[in-house]
mmCIF file with all atom_site columns, all heavy atoms in Angstrom:
data_model
loop_
_atom_site.group_PDB
_atom_site.id
_atom_site.type_symbol
_atom_site.label_atom_id
_atom_site.label_alt_id
_atom_site.label_comp_id
_atom_site.label_asym_id
_atom_site.label_entity_id
_atom_site.label_seq_id
_atom_site.pdbx_PDB_ins_code
_atom_site.Cartn_x
_atom_site.Cartn_y
_atom_site.Cartn_z
_atom_site.occupancy
_atom_site.B_iso_or_equiv
_atom_site.pdbx_formal_charge
_atom_site.auth_seq_id
_atom_site.auth_comp_id
_atom_site.auth_asym_id
_atom_site.auth_atom_id
_atom_site.pdbx_PDB_model_num
ATOM 1   N N   . ARG A 1 1  ? 7.766  10.838  -3.977  1.00 0.00 ? 1  ARG A N   1
ATOM 2   C CA  . ARG A 1 1  ? 7.030  9.939   -4.622  1.00 0.00 ? 1  ARG A CA  1
ATOM 3   C C   . ARG A 1 1  ? 7.384  8.487   -4.178  1.00 0.00 ? 1  ARG A C   1
ATOM 4   O O   . ARG A 1 1  ? 8.500  8.056   -4.230  1.00 0.00 ? 1  ARG A O   1
ATOM 5   C CB  . ARG A 1 1  ? 7.214  9.923   -6.135  1.00 0.00 ? 1  ARG A CB  1
ATOM 6   C CG  . ARG A 1 1  ? 6.387  9.026   -6.912  1.00 0.00 ? 1  ARG A CG  1
ATOM 7   C CD  . ARG A 1 1  ? 6.647  9.190   -8.479  1.00 0.00 ? 1  ARG A CD  1
ATOM 8   N NE  . ARG A 1 1  ? 5.734  8.367   -9.261  1.00 0.00 ? 1  ARG A NE  1
ATOM 9   C CZ  . ARG A 1 1  ? 4.560  8.757   -9.781  1.00 0.00 ? 1  ARG A CZ  1
ATOM 10  N NH1 . ARG A 1 1  ? 4.105  9.910   -9.425  1.00 0.00 ? 1  ARG A NH1 1
ATOM 11  N NH2 . ARG A 1 1  ? 3.886  8.008   -10.462 1.00 0.00 ? 1  ARG A NH2 1
ATOM 12  N N   . LEU A 1 2  ? 6.343  7.827   -3.584  1.00 0.00 ? 2  LEU A N   1
ATOM 13  C CA  . LEU A 1 2  ? 6.615  6.457   -3.078  1.00 0.00 ? 2  LEU A CA  1
ATOM 14  C C   . LEU A 1 2  ? 6.030  5.493   -4.143  1.00 0.00 ? 2  LEU A C   1
ATOM 15  O O   . LEU A 1 2  ? 5.074  5.772   -4.846  1.00 0.00 ? 2  LEU A O   1
ATOM 16  C CB  . LEU A 1 2  ? 5.803  6.174   -1.782  1.00 0.00 ? 2  LEU A CB  1
ATOM 17  C CG  . LEU A 1 2  ? 5.966  7.253   -0.704  1.00 0.00 ? 2  LEU A CG  1
ATOM 18  C CD1 . LEU A 1 2  ? 5.181  6.724   0.564   1.00 0.00 ? 2  LEU A CD1 1
ATOM 19  C CD2 . LEU A 1 2  ? 7.578  7.283   -0.376  1.00 0.00 ? 2  LEU A CD2 1
ATOM 20  N N   . SER A 1 3  ? 6.755  4.369   -4.224  1.00 0.00 ? 3  SER A N   1
ATOM 21  C CA  . SER A 1 3  ? 6.369  3.273   -5.160  1.00 0.00 ? 3  SER A CA  1
ATOM 22  C C   . SER A 1 3  ? 6.201  1.972   -4.395  1.00 0.00 ? 3  SER A C   1
ATOM 23  O O   . SER A 1 3  ? 6.871  1.703   -3.442  1.00 0.00 ? 3  SER A O   1
ATOM 24  C CB  . SER A 1 3  ? 7.372  3.167   -6.350  1.00 0.00 ? 3  SER A CB  1
ATOM 25  O OG  . SER A 1 3  ? 7.512  4.309   -7.032  1.00 0.00 ? 3  SER A OG  1
ATOM 26  N N   . CYS A 1 4  ? 5.411  1.145   -4.989  1.00 0.00 ? 4  CYS A N   1
ATOM 27  C CA  . CYS A 1 4  ? 5.147  -0.187  -4.379  1.00 0.00 ? 4  CYS A CA  1
ATOM 28  C C   . CYS A 1 4  ? 5.047  -1.240  -5.545  1.00 0.00 ? 4  CYS A C   1
ATOM 29  O O   . CYS A 1 4  ? 4.208  -0.965  -6.423  1.00 0.00 ? 4  CYS A O   1
ATOM 30  C CB  . CYS A 1 4  ? 3.833  -0.159  -3.686  1.00 0.00 ? 4  CYS A CB  1
ATOM 31  S SG  . CYS A 1 4  ? 3.256  -1.746  -3.030  1.00 0.00 ? 4  CYS A SG  1
ATOM 32  N N   . VAL A 1 5  ? 5.892  -2.207  -5.556  1.00 0.00 ? 5  VAL A N   1
ATOM 33  C CA  . VAL A 1 5  ? 5.832  -3.312  -6.521  1.00 0.00 ? 5  VAL A CA  1
ATOM 34  C C   . VAL A 1 5  ? 5.167  -4.406  -5.986  1.00 0.00 ? 5  VAL A C   1
ATOM 35  O O   . VAL A 1 5  ? 5.462  -4.895  -4.836  1.00 0.00 ? 5  VAL A O   1
ATOM 36  C CB  . VAL A 1 5  ? 7.320  -3.562  -6.903  1.00 0.00 ? 5  VAL A CB  1
ATOM 37  C CG1 . VAL A 1 5  ? 7.223  -4.725  -7.937  1.00 0.00 ? 5  VAL A CG1 1
ATOM 38  C CG2 . VAL A 1 5  ? 7.994  -2.357  -7.581  1.00 0.00 ? 5  VAL A CG2 1
ATOM 39  N N   . PHE A 1 6  ? 4.219  -5.009  -6.791  1.00 0.00 ? 6  PHE A N   1
ATOM 40  C CA  . PHE A 1 6  ? 3.336  -6.151  -6.442  1.00 0.00 ? 6  PHE A CA  1
ATOM 41  C C   . PHE A 1 6  ? 3.825  -7.299  -7.171  1.00 0.00 ? 6  PHE A C   1
ATOM 42  O O   . PHE A 1 6  ? 4.159  -7.326  -8.336  1.00 0.00 ? 6  PHE A O   1
ATOM 43  C CB  . PHE A 1 6  ? 1.972  -5.807  -6.817  1.00 0.00 ? 6  PHE A CB  1
ATOM 44  C CG  . PHE A 1 6  ? 0.938  -6.872  -6.737  1.00 0.00 ? 6  PHE A CG  1
ATOM 45  C CD1 . PHE A 1 6  ? 0.026  -6.834  -5.630  1.00 0.00 ? 6  PHE A CD1 1
ATOM 46  C CD2 . PHE A 1 6  ? 0.787  -7.920  -7.603  1.00 0.00 ? 6  PHE A CD2 1
ATOM 47  C CE1 . PHE A 1 6  ? -0.996 -7.803  -5.560  1.00 0.00 ? 6  PHE A CE1 1
ATOM 48  C CE2 . PHE A 1 6  ? -0.190 -8.913  -7.486  1.00 0.00 ? 6  PHE A CE2 1
ATOM 49  C CZ  . PHE A 1 6  ? -0.989 -8.873  -6.513  1.00 0.00 ? 6  PHE A CZ  1
ATOM 50  N N   . SER A 1 7  ? 3.997  -8.471  -6.518  1.00 0.00 ? 7  SER A N   1
ATOM 51  C CA  . SER A 1 7  ? 4.338  -9.777  -7.105  1.00 0.00 ? 7  SER A CA  1
ATOM 52  C C   . SER A 1 7  ? 3.618  -10.877 -6.391  1.00 0.00 ? 7  SER A C   1
ATOM 53  O O   . SER A 1 7  ? 3.127  -10.777 -5.327  1.00 0.00 ? 7  SER A O   1
ATOM 54  C CB  . SER A 1 7  ? 5.855  -9.965  -7.089  1.00 0.00 ? 7  SER A CB  1
ATOM 55  O OG  . SER A 1 7  ? 6.326  -10.030 -5.722  1.00 0.00 ? 7  SER A OG  1
ATOM 56  N N   . GLY A 1 8  ? 3.557  -12.042 -7.045  1.00 0.00 ? 8  GLY A N   1
ATOM 57  C CA  . GLY A 1 8  ? 3.020  -13.214 -6.476  1.00 0.00 ? 8  GLY A CA  1
ATOM 58  C C   . GLY A 1 8  ? 1.500  -13.475 -6.686  1.00 0.00 ? 8  GLY A C   1
ATOM 59  O O   . GLY A 1 8  ? 0.841  -14.283 -6.062  1.00 0.00 ? 8  GLY A O   1
ATOM 60  N N   . GLY A 1 9  ? 0.941  -12.617 -7.553  1.00 0.00 ? 9  GLY A N   1
ATOM 61  C CA  . GLY A 1 9  ? -0.554 -12.638 -7.783  1.00 0.00 ? 9  GLY A CA  1
ATOM 62  C C   . GLY A 1 9  ? -0.938 -11.915 -9.048  1.00 0.00 ? 9  GLY A C   1
ATOM 63  O O   . GLY A 1 9  ? -0.047 -11.412 -9.673  1.00 0.00 ? 9  GLY A O   1
ATOM 64  N N   . THR A 1 10 ? -2.271 -11.822 -9.189  1.00 0.00 ? 10 THR A N   1
ATOM 65  C CA  . THR A 1 10 ? -2.754 -11.032 -10.292 1.00 0.00 ? 10 THR A CA  1
ATOM 66  C C   . THR A 1 10 ? -3.133 -9.619  -9.773  1.00 0.00 ? 10 THR A C   1
ATOM 67  O O   . THR A 1 10 ? -4.080 -9.419  -9.121  1.00 0.00 ? 10 THR A O   1
ATOM 68  C CB  . THR A 1 10 ? -4.065 -11.710 -10.860 1.00 0.00 ? 10 THR A CB  1
ATOM 69  O OG1 . THR A 1 10 ? -3.812 -13.021 -11.251 1.00 0.00 ? 10 THR A OG1 1
ATOM 70  C CG2 . THR A 1 10 ? -4.511 -10.931 -11.999 1.00 0.00 ? 10 THR A CG2 1
ATOM 71  N N   . PHE A 1 11 ? -2.323 -8.708  -10.224 1.00 0.00 ? 11 PHE A N   1
ATOM 72  C CA  . PHE A 1 11 ? -2.331 -7.273  -9.676  1.00 0.00 ? 11 PHE A CA  1
ATOM 73  C C   . PHE A 1 11 ? -3.746 -6.709  -9.948  1.00 0.00 ? 11 PHE A C   1
ATOM 74  O O   . PHE A 1 11 ? -4.280 -6.044  -9.051  1.00 0.00 ? 11 PHE A O   1
ATOM 75  C CB  . PHE A 1 11 ? -1.302 -6.432  -10.387 1.00 0.00 ? 11 PHE A CB  1
ATOM 76  C CG  . PHE A 1 11 ? -1.179 -5.118  -9.891  1.00 0.00 ? 11 PHE A CG  1
ATOM 77  C CD1 . PHE A 1 11 ? -1.001 -4.816  -8.512  1.00 0.00 ? 11 PHE A CD1 1
ATOM 78  C CD2 . PHE A 1 11 ? -1.192 -3.945  -10.750 1.00 0.00 ? 11 PHE A CD2 1
ATOM 79  C CE1 . PHE A 1 11 ? -0.745 -3.522  -8.021  1.00 0.00 ? 11 PHE A CE1 1
ATOM 80  C CE2 . PHE A 1 11 ? -0.998 -2.753  -10.292 1.00 0.00 ? 11 PHE A CE2 1
ATOM 81  C CZ  . PHE A 1 11 ? -0.810 -2.506  -8.964  1.00 0.00 ? 11 PHE A CZ  1
ATOM 82  N N   . THR A 1 12 ? -4.354 -6.893  -10.961 1.00 0.00 ? 12 THR A N   1
ATOM 83  C CA  . THR A 1 12 ? -5.675 -6.348  -11.335 1.00 0.00 ? 12 THR A CA  1
ATOM 84  C C   . THR A 1 12 ? -6.753 -6.955  -10.480 1.00 0.00 ? 12 THR A C   1
ATOM 85  O O   . THR A 1 12 ? -7.912 -6.446  -10.624 1.00 0.00 ? 12 THR A O   1
ATOM 86  C CB  . THR A 1 12 ? -5.990 -6.499  -12.799 1.00 0.00 ? 12 THR A CB  1
ATOM 87  O OG1 . THR A 1 12 ? -5.873 -7.813  -13.287 1.00 0.00 ? 12 THR A OG1 1
ATOM 88  C CG2 . THR A 1 12 ? -5.013 -5.581  -13.638 1.00 0.00 ? 12 THR A CG2 1
ATOM 89  N N   . ASN A 1 13 ? -6.537 -7.900  -9.698  1.00 0.00 ? 13 ASN A N   1
ATOM 90  C CA  . ASN A 1 13 ? -7.643 -8.444  -8.787  1.00 0.00 ? 13 ASN A CA  1
ATOM 91  C C   . ASN A 1 13 ? -7.623 -7.692  -7.493  1.00 0.00 ? 13 ASN A C   1
ATOM 92  O O   . ASN A 1 13 ? -8.373 -8.044  -6.581  1.00 0.00 ? 13 ASN A O   1
ATOM 93  C CB  . ASN A 1 13 ? -7.258 -9.852  -8.526  1.00 0.00 ? 13 ASN A CB  1
ATOM 94  C CG  . ASN A 1 13 ? -7.613 -10.756 -9.660  1.00 0.00 ? 13 ASN A CG  1
ATOM 95  O OD1 . ASN A 1 13 ? -8.254 -10.367 -10.666 1.00 0.00 ? 13 ASN A OD1 1
ATOM 96  N ND2 . ASN A 1 13 ? -7.234 -12.091 -9.567  1.00 0.00 ? 13 ASN A ND2 1
ATOM 97  N N   . TYR A 1 14 ? -6.791 -6.632  -7.387  1.00 0.00 ? 14 TYR A N   1
ATOM 98  C CA  . TYR A 1 14 ? -6.701 -6.015  -6.064  1.00 0.00 ? 14 TYR A CA  1
ATOM 99  C C   . TYR A 1 14 ? -6.739 -4.462  -6.314  1.00 0.00 ? 14 TYR A C   1
ATOM 100 O O   . TYR A 1 14 ? -6.135 -3.801  -7.070  1.00 0.00 ? 14 TYR A O   1
ATOM 101 C CB  . TYR A 1 14 ? -5.245 -6.327  -5.467  1.00 0.00 ? 14 TYR A CB  1
ATOM 102 C CG  . TYR A 1 14 ? -5.058 -7.702  -5.078  1.00 0.00 ? 14 TYR A CG  1
ATOM 103 C CD1 . TYR A 1 14 ? -4.669 -8.627  -5.942  1.00 0.00 ? 14 TYR A CD1 1
ATOM 104 C CD2 . TYR A 1 14 ? -5.415 -8.154  -3.738  1.00 0.00 ? 14 TYR A CD2 1
ATOM 105 C CE1 . TYR A 1 14 ? -4.420 -9.933  -5.650  1.00 0.00 ? 14 TYR A CE1 1
ATOM 106 C CE2 . TYR A 1 14 ? -5.231 -9.468  -3.345  1.00 0.00 ? 14 TYR A CE2 1
ATOM 107 C CZ  . TYR A 1 14 ? -4.769 -10.478 -4.378  1.00 0.00 ? 14 TYR A CZ  1
ATOM 108 O OH  . TYR A 1 14 ? -4.543 -11.742 -3.987  1.00 0.00 ? 14 TYR A OH  1
ATOM 109 N N   . ALA A 1 15 ? -7.563 -3.894  -5.255  1.00 0.00 ? 15 ALA A N   1
ATOM 110 C CA  . ALA A 1 15 ? -7.432 -2.479  -5.048  1.00 0.00 ? 15 ALA A CA  1
ATOM 111 C C   . ALA A 1 15 ? -6.128 -2.207  -4.298  1.00 0.00 ? 15 ALA A C   1
ATOM 112 O O   . ALA A 1 15 ? -5.751 -3.144  -3.459  1.00 0.00 ? 15 ALA A O   1
ATOM 113 C CB  . ALA A 1 15 ? -8.715 -1.953  -4.330  1.00 0.00 ? 15 ALA A CB  1
ATOM 114 N N   . MET A 1 16 ? -5.568 -1.059  -4.488  1.00 0.00 ? 16 MET A N   1
ATOM 115 C CA  . MET A 1 16 ? -4.269 -0.860  -3.780  1.00 0.00 ? 16 MET A CA  1
ATOM 116 C C   . MET A 1 16 ? -4.451 0.397   -2.914  1.00 0.00 ? 16 MET A C   1
ATOM 117 O O   . MET A 1 16 ? -4.915 1.391   -3.283  1.00 0.00 ? 16 MET A O   1
ATOM 118 C CB  . MET A 1 16 ? -3.131 -0.578  -4.786  1.00 0.00 ? 16 MET A CB  1
ATOM 119 C CG  . MET A 1 16 ? -2.955 -1.822  -5.654  1.00 0.00 ? 16 MET A CG  1
ATOM 120 S SD  . MET A 1 16 ? -2.437 -3.257  -4.717  1.00 0.00 ? 16 MET A SD  1
ATOM 121 C CE  . MET A 1 16 ? -0.846 -2.817  -4.029  1.00 0.00 ? 16 MET A CE  1
ATOM 122 N N   . GLY A 1 17 ? -4.028 0.332   -1.608  1.00 0.00 ? 17 GLY A N   1
ATOM 123 C CA  . GLY A 1 17 ? -4.070 1.392   -0.789  1.00 0.00 ? 17 GLY A CA  1
ATOM 124 C C   . GLY A 1 17 ? -2.681 1.759   -0.101  1.00 0.00 ? 17 GLY A C   1
ATOM 125 O O   . GLY A 1 17 ? -1.763 0.963   -0.220  1.00 0.00 ? 17 GLY A O   1
ATOM 126 N N   . TRP A 1 18 ? -2.687 2.969   0.360   1.00 0.00 ? 18 TRP A N   1
ATOM 127 C CA  . TRP A 1 18 ? -1.568 3.460   1.229   1.00 0.00 ? 18 TRP A CA  1
ATOM 128 C C   . TRP A 1 18 ? -2.072 3.846   2.641   1.00 0.00 ? 18 TRP A C   1
ATOM 129 O O   . TRP A 1 18 ? -3.025 4.460   2.819   1.00 0.00 ? 18 TRP A O   1
ATOM 130 C CB  . TRP A 1 18 ? -0.869 4.670   0.500   1.00 0.00 ? 18 TRP A CB  1
ATOM 131 C CG  . TRP A 1 18 ? -0.213 4.369   -0.716  1.00 0.00 ? 18 TRP A CG  1
ATOM 132 C CD1 . TRP A 1 18 ? -0.647 4.388   -1.992  1.00 0.00 ? 18 TRP A CD1 1
ATOM 133 C CD2 . TRP A 1 18 ? 1.212  4.003   -0.783  1.00 0.00 ? 18 TRP A CD2 1
ATOM 134 N NE1 . TRP A 1 18 ? 0.335  4.009   -2.875  1.00 0.00 ? 18 TRP A NE1 1
ATOM 135 C CE2 . TRP A 1 18 ? 1.510  3.781   -2.202  1.00 0.00 ? 18 TRP A CE2 1
ATOM 136 C CE3 . TRP A 1 18 ? 2.185  3.744   0.106   1.00 0.00 ? 18 TRP A CE3 1
ATOM 137 C CZ2 . TRP A 1 18 ? 2.676  3.302   -2.633  1.00 0.00 ? 18 TRP A CZ2 1
ATOM 138 C CZ3 . TRP A 1 18 ? 3.541  3.364   -0.337  1.00 0.00 ? 18 TRP A CZ3 1
ATOM 139 C CH2 . TRP A 1 18 ? 3.747  3.186   -1.717  1.00 0.00 ? 18 TRP A CH2 1
ATOM 140 N N   . PHE A 1 19 ? -1.382 3.410   3.578   1.00 0.00 ? 19 PHE A N   1
ATOM 141 C CA  . PHE A 1 19 ? -1.529 3.748   4.967   1.00 0.00 ? 19 PHE A CA  1
ATOM 142 C C   . PHE A 1 19 ? -0.326 4.326   5.572   1.00 0.00 ? 19 PHE A C   1
ATOM 143 O O   . PHE A 1 19 ? 0.785  4.145   4.969   1.00 0.00 ? 19 PHE A O   1
ATOM 144 C CB  . PHE A 1 19 ? -1.965 2.474   5.800   1.00 0.00 ? 19 PHE A CB  1
ATOM 145 C CG  . PHE A 1 19 ? -3.323 2.006   5.434   1.00 0.00 ? 19 PHE A CG  1
ATOM 146 C CD1 . PHE A 1 19 ? -3.635 1.326   4.216   1.00 0.00 ? 19 PHE A CD1 1
ATOM 147 C CD2 . PHE A 1 19 ? -4.385 2.162   6.280   1.00 0.00 ? 19 PHE A CD2 1
ATOM 148 C CE1 . PHE A 1 19 ? -4.853 0.849   3.939   1.00 0.00 ? 19 PHE A CE1 1
ATOM 149 C CE2 . PHE A 1 19 ? -5.709 1.681   6.041   1.00 0.00 ? 19 PHE A CE2 1
ATOM 150 C CZ  . PHE A 1 19 ? -5.876 0.976   4.780   1.00 0.00 ? 19 PHE A CZ  1
ATOM 151 N N   . ARG A 1 20 ? -0.375 4.957   6.716   1.00 0.00 ? 20 ARG A N   1
ATOM 152 C CA  . ARG A 1 20 ? 0.879  5.429   7.345   1.00 0.00 ? 20 ARG A CA  1
ATOM 153 C C   . ARG A 1 20 ? 0.645  5.295   8.881   1.00 0.00 ? 20 ARG A C   1
ATOM 154 O O   . ARG A 1 20 ? -0.449 5.328   9.402   1.00 0.00 ? 20 ARG A O   1
ATOM 155 C CB  . ARG A 1 20 ? 1.093  6.899   7.059   1.00 0.00 ? 20 ARG A CB  1
ATOM 156 C CG  . ARG A 1 20 ? 0.158  7.969   7.492   1.00 0.00 ? 20 ARG A CG  1
ATOM 157 C CD  . ARG A 1 20 ? 0.338  9.316   6.879   1.00 0.00 ? 20 ARG A CD  1
ATOM 158 N NE  . ARG A 1 20 ? -0.566 10.338  7.416   1.00 0.00 ? 20 ARG A NE  1
ATOM 159 C CZ  . ARG A 1 20 ? -0.652 11.494  6.910   1.00 0.00 ? 20 ARG A CZ  1
ATOM 160 N NH1 . ARG A 1 20 ? 0.320  11.978  5.930   1.00 0.00 ? 20 ARG A NH1 1
ATOM 161 N NH2 . ARG A 1 20 ? -1.451 12.387  7.467   1.00 0.00 ? 20 ARG A NH2 1
ATOM 162 N N   . GLN A 1 21 ? 1.765  5.207   9.607   1.00 0.00 ? 21 GLN A N   1
ATOM 163 C CA  . GLN A 1 21 ? 1.737  5.196   10.935  1.00 0.00 ? 21 GLN A CA  1
ATOM 164 C C   . GLN A 1 21 ? 2.887  6.098   11.564  1.00 0.00 ? 21 GLN A C   1
ATOM 165 O O   . GLN A 1 21 ? 4.050  5.752   11.301  1.00 0.00 ? 21 GLN A O   1
ATOM 166 C CB  . GLN A 1 21 ? 1.951  3.711   11.552  1.00 0.00 ? 21 GLN A CB  1
ATOM 167 C CG  . GLN A 1 21 ? 1.733  3.586   12.959  1.00 0.00 ? 21 GLN A CG  1
ATOM 168 C CD  . GLN A 1 21 ? 1.569  2.185   13.466  1.00 0.00 ? 21 GLN A CD  1
ATOM 169 O OE1 . GLN A 1 21 ? 2.009  1.194   12.724  1.00 0.00 ? 21 GLN A OE1 1
ATOM 170 N NE2 . GLN A 1 21 ? 1.095  1.934   14.646  1.00 0.00 ? 21 GLN A NE2 1
ATOM 171 N N   . ALA A 1 22 ? 2.454  7.112   12.262  1.00 0.00 ? 22 ALA A N   1
ATOM 172 C CA  . ALA A 1 22 ? 3.375  7.993   13.010  1.00 0.00 ? 22 ALA A CA  1
ATOM 173 C C   . ALA A 1 22 ? 3.748  7.380   14.401  1.00 0.00 ? 22 ALA A C   1
ATOM 174 O O   . ALA A 1 22 ? 2.815  6.616   14.964  1.00 0.00 ? 22 ALA A O   1
ATOM 175 C CB  . ALA A 1 22 ? 2.826  9.307   13.125  1.00 0.00 ? 22 ALA A CB  1
ATOM 176 N N   . PRO A 1 23 ? 4.818  7.673   14.913  1.00 0.00 ? 23 PRO A N   1
ATOM 177 C CA  . PRO A 1 23 ? 5.236  7.195   16.308  1.00 0.00 ? 23 PRO A CA  1
ATOM 178 C C   . PRO A 1 23 ? 4.113  7.477   17.353  1.00 0.00 ? 23 PRO A C   1
ATOM 179 O O   . PRO A 1 23 ? 3.631  8.669   17.401  1.00 0.00 ? 23 PRO A O   1
ATOM 180 C CB  . PRO A 1 23 ? 6.467  7.936   16.647  1.00 0.00 ? 23 PRO A CB  1
ATOM 181 C CG  . PRO A 1 23 ? 7.037  8.286   15.301  1.00 0.00 ? 23 PRO A CG  1
ATOM 182 C CD  . PRO A 1 23 ? 5.928  8.523   14.406  1.00 0.00 ? 23 PRO A CD  1
ATOM 183 N N   . GLY A 1 24 ? 3.696  6.499   17.990  1.00 0.00 ? 24 GLY A N   1
ATOM 184 C CA  . GLY A 1 24 ? 2.693  6.721   19.096  1.00 0.00 ? 24 GLY A CA  1
ATOM 185 C C   . GLY A 1 24 ? 1.240  6.837   18.536  1.00 0.00 ? 24 GLY A C   1
ATOM 186 O O   . GLY A 1 24 ? 0.344  7.099   19.359  1.00 0.00 ? 24 GLY A O   1
ATOM 187 N N   . ARG A 1 25 ? 1.073  6.551   17.279  1.00 0.00 ? 25 ARG A N   1
ATOM 188 C CA  . ARG A 1 25 ? -0.310 6.710   16.707  1.00 0.00 ? 25 ARG A CA  1
ATOM 189 C C   . ARG A 1 25 ? -0.701 5.448   16.038  1.00 0.00 ? 25 ARG A C   1
ATOM 190 O O   . ARG A 1 25 ? 0.233  4.568   15.611  1.00 0.00 ? 25 ARG A O   1
ATOM 191 C CB  . ARG A 1 25 ? -0.313 7.904   15.757  1.00 0.00 ? 25 ARG A CB  1
ATOM 192 C CG  . ARG A 1 25 ? 0.041  9.175   16.413  1.00 0.00 ? 25 ARG A CG  1
ATOM 193 C CD  . ARG A 1 25 ? -0.082 10.341  15.460  1.00 0.00 ? 25 ARG A CD  1
ATOM 194 N NE  . ARG A 1 25 ? -1.584 10.604  15.171  1.00 0.00 ? 25 ARG A NE  1
ATOM 195 C CZ  . ARG A 1 25 ? -2.038 11.544  14.425  1.00 0.00 ? 25 ARG A CZ  1
ATOM 196 N NH1 . ARG A 1 25 ? -1.190 12.475  13.959  1.00 0.00 ? 25 ARG A NH1 1
ATOM 197 N NH2 . ARG A 1 25 ? -3.233 11.713  14.158  1.00 0.00 ? 25 ARG A NH2 1
ATOM 198 N N   . HIS A 1 26 ? -2.046 5.265   15.818  1.00 0.00 ? 26 HIS A N   1
ATOM 199 C CA  . HIS A 1 26 ? -2.507 4.054   15.012  1.00 0.00 ? 26 HIS A CA  1
ATOM 200 C C   . HIS A 1 26 ? -2.225 4.271   13.609  1.00 0.00 ? 26 HIS A C   1
ATOM 201 O O   . HIS A 1 26 ? -2.106 5.412   13.142  1.00 0.00 ? 26 HIS A O   1
ATOM 202 C CB  . HIS A 1 26 ? -4.022 4.005   15.368  1.00 0.00 ? 26 HIS A CB  1
ATOM 203 C CG  . HIS A 1 26 ? -4.396 3.598   16.756  1.00 0.00 ? 26 HIS A CG  1
ATOM 204 N ND1 . HIS A 1 26 ? -4.016 2.465   17.350  1.00 0.00 ? 26 HIS A ND1 1
ATOM 205 C CD2 . HIS A 1 26 ? -5.142 4.367   17.665  1.00 0.00 ? 26 HIS A CD2 1
ATOM 206 C CE1 . HIS A 1 26 ? -4.562 2.473   18.561  1.00 0.00 ? 26 HIS A CE1 1
ATOM 207 N NE2 . HIS A 1 26 ? -5.132 3.649   18.784  1.00 0.00 ? 26 HIS A NE2 1
#
């Protein structure tokens, strides 16, 4: 389970996404 803490703005103004990058890949 990964977590991400948001700070410095209004959280509810943002959709939140997860991306990943494997070695040698976009």
Side-chain angles (χ1 to χ4, degrees):
R1 185 178 181 87
L2 307 183
S3 295
C4 172
V5 176
F6 173 104
S7 63
T10 303
F11 187 53
T12 52
N13 286 347
Y14 295 86
M16 299 299 296
W18 289 93
F19 290 74
R20 68 186 181 185
Q21 186 168 19
R25 301 186 65 175
H26 294 296

